[in-house]
Amino acid sequence: ATSVKLDTITFNAAVSACASGGEWLRALGLLAEMEANSVDKDTITYNAAVSSCEKSGQWAQALGLLFAMSGSRVELSTISYNAALSAAAKGGEWARALLLWAEMPACHVELTTITYSATVTACAKGGEWTKALGVLDAMMASHVEADTIVYSTAVSACEKGGEWVQALGLLFDMAAKSLEMNSITYNAAISACAKSGE
């Protein structure tokens, strides 16, 4: 019988498989097993575990893992933060998402389109249209390329707030940037107008 060496690479593969399958409890169990066997955890280990929690809607666990990463001196990456941001967005935790987003530059972690998209999504789900637009404005100021998804989510945030003027302004911005508008974008803008009687 052949034996498998239990090292960081082996565990990373197993935790990544759990992430792909959304098996967050198993991923956390593997982290505990690594600890018990004195196997070092690295950025890949934690990123896979955070992603597993994100895919399963376990925002508190995802944020706990991000905190554990910083406490164990494992390098935090854009992937780490993006997965935690997405978990917070799925959990309706817009305030926590904004805190994570705001701390990324201080941690020297690059903010990407996915970062901004997850943060705008969290604000939109929380009904915080002004904060969603603030994040979008910061994205433009940072020269990070906005895509249809970010804009559509911002339009949806305006729709939830009944802000039809803002929603239409975003449509004009999209047209000026030659971004493709989809049914989600149009439906949200139409709904914003309908809610305000325009």
Side-chain angles (χ1 to χ4, degrees):
T2 59
S3 63
V4 176
K5 181 181 176 190
L6 296 179
D7 60 8
T8 304
I9 294 169
T10 306
F11 274 105
N12 285 352
V15 175
S16 294
C18 291
S20 296
E23 295 286 337
W24 68 278
L25 279 173
R26 288 187 183 178
L28 295 183
L30 288 168
L31 291 183
E33 195 174 326
M34 290 176 80
E35 190 74 32
N37 287 297
S38 300
V39 177
D40 291 332
K41 296 183 271 309
D42 61 14
T43 302
I44 296 168
T45 314
Y46 278 107
N47 286 352
V50 172
S51 292
S52 177
C53 292
E54 179 264 327
K55 288 177 182 172
S56 301
Q58 301 296 321
W59 67 268
Q61 295 290 343
L63 298 184
L65 287 168
L66 193 71
F67 183 74
M69 281 180 83
S70 61
S72 65
R73 297 193 181 117
V74 172
E75 183 180 352
L76 294 160
S77 71
T78 300
I79 294 168
S80 315
Y81 273 99
N82 286 349
L85 280 167
S86 293
K90 284 182 180 177
E93 296 291 323
W94 64 269
R96 292 179 197 275
L98 281 174
L99 288 172
L100 289 174
W101 171 71
E103 80 180 30
M104 288 176 72
C107 294
H108 307 290
V109 177
E110 180 185 7
L111 286 82
T112 64
T113 301
I114 294 169
T115 307
Y116 286 101
S117 181
T119 308
V120 170
T121 298
C123 294
K125 285 188 173 186
E128 298 291 331
W129 68 271
T130 55
K131 295 195 179 351
L133 293 184
V135 172
L136 184 62
D137 287 344
M139 185 178 193
M140 299 301 124
S142 299
H143 305 290
V144 174
E145 190 173 332
D147 60 10
T148 300
I149 294 169
V150 175
Y151 267 100
S152 294
T153 305
V155 171
S156 292
C158 292
E159 178 264 329
K160 287 178 183 171
E163 295 295 324
W164 67 273
V165 172
Q166 297 289 343
L168 292 180
L170 291 171
L171 289 181
F172 288 124
D173 285 352
M174 289 179 76
K177 295 176 190 230
S178 300
L179 288 174
E180 181 182 338
M181 292 180 232
N182 57 30
S183 61
I184 295 168
T185 314
Y186 286 123
N187 287 340
I190 291 166
S191 180
C193 292
K195 282 183 178 178
S196 65
E198 294 299 321

